[in-house]
Amino acid sequence: MAFRRQVLAGLGIAVVGVVGGCSGVAGTSGTVARKQITVEVPQSTGDPVDVRLAHVSFETERRLVTGSYADVAASVVDGPELSVSDDVHERLSDRFSTVTYSTNVVPEDGATPANGLVSRAAFNRLSIGGSGTVERDGGDGDTGRLRVLEATPPEREPVEVTVDSYDFETRVDDR
């Protein structure tokens, strides 16, 4: 009886692996070229305003990482990476109307990149300059959601990282 359960459990894992592999084929695989955190800032009158709180971009050929982040989000930046803990997400959610996480995965073969929103957990799994496999989870373009199927860190460190801070209040006041 125990042997039978082991065989069935093994078959179940194999089927999940095959099905999981099939969904990855339909997805987009490539380099994680952008990660971005956007917030909606409430206004005294009118609709909230979208403000890019932090972003990093990766230039594949020259292996450069560039980006910027608001001083209020300094804790999300670690060199070339953006990562948001539960506590930081909670603080951001308390302060802003909406907090969204997005990414851009660029295929090596020049096919159409996958742009879209991801969950915070998926955002944290993806490494700028690393590899990712994503699939559409509804919607189009930057408004669509992506499901992260696979994420691997970069094989090599970037040659140069330039990620600068800016004063959040000044940027919001300029709008």
Side-chain angles (χ1 to χ4, degrees), residues 77-156:
V77 179
D78 182 16
E81 280 305 317
L82 298 180
S83 181
V84 183
S85 68
D86 290 339
D87 292 340
V88 170
H89 177 75
E90 191 172 310
R91 281 195 315 248
L92 293 173
S93 295
D94 288 345
R95 180 169 181 181
F96 303 108
S97 301
T98 305
V99 181
T100 58
Y101 305 97
S102 60
T103 192
N104 173 270
V105 175
V106 178
E108 311 297 330
D109 64 3
T112 304
N115 300 298
L117 302 175
V118 293
S119 69
R120 182 177 57 85
F123 183 84
N124 288 343
R125 281 182 50 210
L126 295 167
S127 298
I128 196 74
S131 297
T133 301
V134 297
E135 69 180 2
R136 283 256 166 249
D137 196 14
D140 291 328
D142 288 333
T143 60
R145 295 204 57 85
L146 298 175
R147 183 177 314 125
V148 176
L149 304 174
E150 236 178 86
T152 53
E155 292 178 7
R156 299 180 304 174

Side-chain angles (χ1 to χ4, degrees), residues 45-63:
T45 60
D47 293 332
V49 176
D50 283 345
V51 175
R52 186 166 51 186
L53 192 67
H55 81 280
V56 289
S57 298
F58 181 72
E59 185 185 317
T60 306
E61 289 190 22
R62 294 178 28 200
R63 303 199 53 74

Side-chain angles (χ1 to χ4, degrees), residues 1-21:
M1 190 68 128
F3 176 74
R4 181 175 172 209
R5 279 191 221 119
Q6 288 173 330
V7 169
L8 291 174
L11 287 173
I13 290 170
V15 168
V16 168
V18 169
V19 171

